[in-house]
Amino acid sequence: MDNRLMRDSNAELLRIICIFIILLHHFCVHALYPEVLQLDVAGKGWDSHFLLFIHAFLFIGVNCFILISGWYGIKPKWRSFINLYLIYSFYNLLHPIKFIAKGLILGNGFVLPYSIHDIFMRTLFPFSHGHLWFMDCYLGLFLMAPLLNIAINHMSKRQHEYILLLLTIANIYFGDFWGMELINSDGFSLSNFIYLYILGSYLHRYITIETIDKNRWRWFLLYALFGLLWGTCSMLSAYHIKIPHWHAFAYNNLFLLLTAIFFFLFMMSWHFKNRCINYIAVSMLGVYMFNEGVIKYGFIKPYSHMFTPLLQLALWLGISVGFFIVAVGIDQIRILLTKPIWLLYNRHIETKLSKISSKFNRNS
């Protein structure tokens, strides 16, 4: 058996890193340092300049997360779909509960962010009413995975490379370079997820473990190089030195893509197993949902640039670490609360769904 089929803790650690740097990015650009996202650091403190310059290393989380999916392959099962559904529903319901709890604690009443009907729809039909771009795109990738897997499994190496070449032209040249919105102007799209999924599968199939391990530090140097190139171009843009067709915060930006690919290869060159890492990694999607779908950034916006640059950076890191720990704890509570649903599923539903799937596969 290929050892790559056994998921080591390096991939789970990479998931944790991906979600944590997504938190760092969100708390930075949506709350404490909004000028970074706007490339408007001219005249700001050295901490704003520093965060813009190194931000390529904080903006690779989503790309690496999808590369992991491509590396191992998504195997669409009823259990996986139900798990996604329960996670999305739980955090959609937790959002209005946050307002109720806040009102009760402060004793000044509460105003729900939307109507009871909307709460019901967002909880019962999270995929169509949740409105989180990552979850929408990931659901699309999940549903397309059977078709993608069939295509990947029947491709020769040359065909795989040809498909990747065509997708690279569409994704980077027409999408990022020319900003063609209907193709993929910023990478916040299903088409970018499909591209990364096929790329991840290629890395898994045709780059040997020996090659990945042997070039570990070469991957790291290339990761650092392209991250610093992104930072240099973004800093030049911030000081109004025009770089043609430069779209800094786009997931299909060439330098960002290469930074993500080389960091992914660097992480996959390590091989170890750790029960604690695997335990925490299960909650990473929940941590993301708690950040994007429940708490958001209003609670830290008042602290933007309140302190000296060094203290402000410490605040940014401290909030991110603290939030991460709390969010993992919240998701572990979610796992406990949904255990009865899984017991019901295992006893009464799984066998029936398996029979339906088997019958469909035989007929096809």
Side-chain angles (χ1 to χ4, degrees):
M1 178 184 288
D2 190 338
N3 288 332
R4 289 177 294 184
L5 297 177
M6 297 181 64
R7 192 171 304 193
D8 291 331
S9 294
N10 57 343
E12 305 309 311
L13 178 60
L14 179 55
R15 289 180 193 277
I16 294 171
I17 292 172
C18 286
I19 296 301
F20 183 67
I21 61 178
I22 287 172
L23 293 184
L24 288 171
H25 162 67
H26 285 171
F27 290 151
C28 175
V29 303
H30 295 310
L32 296 175
Y33 293 92
E35 67 274 10
V36 170
L37 186 62
Q38 300 157 10
L39 299 183
D40 187 27
V41 300
K44 304 290 183 182
W46 65 263
D47 50 340
S48 297
H49 288 74
F50 170 74
L51 283 173
L52 174 59
F53 189 75
I54 61 102
H55 215 85
F57 305 111
L58 307 180
F59 202 63
I60 61 172
V62 168
N63 284 350
C64 284
F65 203 91
I66 304 304
L67 283 171
I68 296 171
S69 296
W71 177 273
Y72 288 108
I74 295 174
K75 300 170 181 62
K77 298 178 181 178
W78 286 107
R79 176 178 289 274
S80 301
F81 178 79
I82 293 170
N83 188 51
L84 277 176
Y85 175 87
L86 290 175
I87 292 173
Y88 211 168
S89 292
F90 177 84
Y91 287 101
N92 278 352
L93 181 60
L94 203 59
H95 187 230
I97 289 176
K98 175 191 75 172
F99 288 88
I100 297 172
K102 182 179 178 181
L104 292 174
I105 292 171
L106 298 179
N108 55 4
F110 57 87
V111 177
L112 290 175
Y114 25 75
S115 69
I116 298 297
H117 175 266
D118 287 338
I119 293 172
F120 175 81
M121 295 299 288
R122 285 165 63 93
T123 304
L124 197 59
F125 303 104
F127 293 114
S128 56
H129 291 75
H131 309 303
L132 289 177
W133 79 269
F134 178 86
M135 294 299 289
D136 293 344
C137 292
Y138 192 80
L139 174 66
L141 182 64
F142 181 88
L143 295 176
M144 291 192 67
L147 176 62
L148 294 173
N149 292 341
I150 290 172
I152 289 167
N153 291 334
H154 287 81
M155 286 180 192
S156 66
K157 183 180 179 181
R158 180 168 294 184
Q159 289 171 330
H160 210 144
E161 291 169 345
Y162 181 65
I163 294 296
L164 276 177
L165 174 63
L166 295 179
L167 290 177
T168 299
I169 292 171
N171 197 43
I172 298 176
Y173 178 71
F174 289 112
D176 176 55
F177 191 76
W178 290 106
M180 296 178 70
E181 188 172 349
L182 293 179
I183 293 180
N184 184 20
S185 62
D186 56 12
F188 291 74
S189 64
L190 175 59
S191 61
N192 195 52
F193 279 30
I194 292 172
Y195 173 66
L196 291 167
Y197 186 84
I198 295 175
L199 176 58
S201 70
Y202 179 86
L203 296 175
H204 173 76
R205 288 163 67 95
Y206 298 114
I207 300 186
T208 65
I209 289 295
E210 292 74 18
T211 300
I212 291 175
D213 293 352
K214 185 173 65 175
N215 291 284
R216 173 181 299 157
W217 296 109
R218 182 176 296 175
W219 305 135
F220 184 82
L221 289 174
L222 288 169
Y223 153 71
L225 171 65
F226 284 104
L228 295 176
L229 284 173
W230 181 94
T232 301
C233 291
S234 296
M235 193 64 72
L236 291 173
S237 296
Y239 277 86
H240 310 294
I241 299 173
K242 187 172 179 58
I243 299 176
H245 305 281
W246 180 253
H247 309 107
F249 289 96
Y251 282 117
N252 57 342
N253 176 293
L254 177 60
F255 288 170
L256 280 175
L257 276 170
L258 290 172
T259 302
I261 291 166
F262 290 126
F263 184 70
F264 172 81
L265 290 171
F266 170 71
M267 288 300 300
M268 297 308 288
S269 71
W270 301 91
H271 307 285
F272 63 96
K273 295 185 184 296
N274 184 285
R275 184 175 298 177
C276 181
I277 287 175
N278 293 349
Y279 178 80
I280 295 173
V282 172
S283 290
M284 289 306 97
L285 192 56
V287 172
Y288 169 81
M289 287 294 300
F290 190 58
N291 169 234
E292 275 285 87
V294 181
I295 298 299
K296 300 188 177 180
Y297 320 104
F299 77 106
I300 56 173
K301 282 183 179 179
Y303 300 100
S304 177
H305 297 290
M306 276 191 62
F307 308 103
T308 62
L310 197 58
L311 285 176
Q312 195 71 26
L313 288 174
L315 175 69
W316 168 63
L317 285 170
I319 288 176
S320 300
V321 172
F323 181 92
F324 182 86
I325 294 170
V326 170
V328 169
I330 294 290
D331 197 67
Q332 290 300 315
I333 293 172
R334 174 196 65 82
I335 292 171
L336 287 174
L337 290 175
T338 55
K339 271 191 174 181
I341 297 175
W342 287 116
L343 288 173
L344 178 65
Y345 175 83
N346 292 335
R347 290 177 183 176
H348 304 290
I349 301 174
E350 184 173 32
T351 303
K352 294 179 181 178
L353 291 177
S354 297
K355 287 181 180 179
I356 293 172
S357 298
S358 298
K359 186 176 180 181
F360 177 80
N361 290 332
R362 285 198 304 269
N363 291 337
S364 60

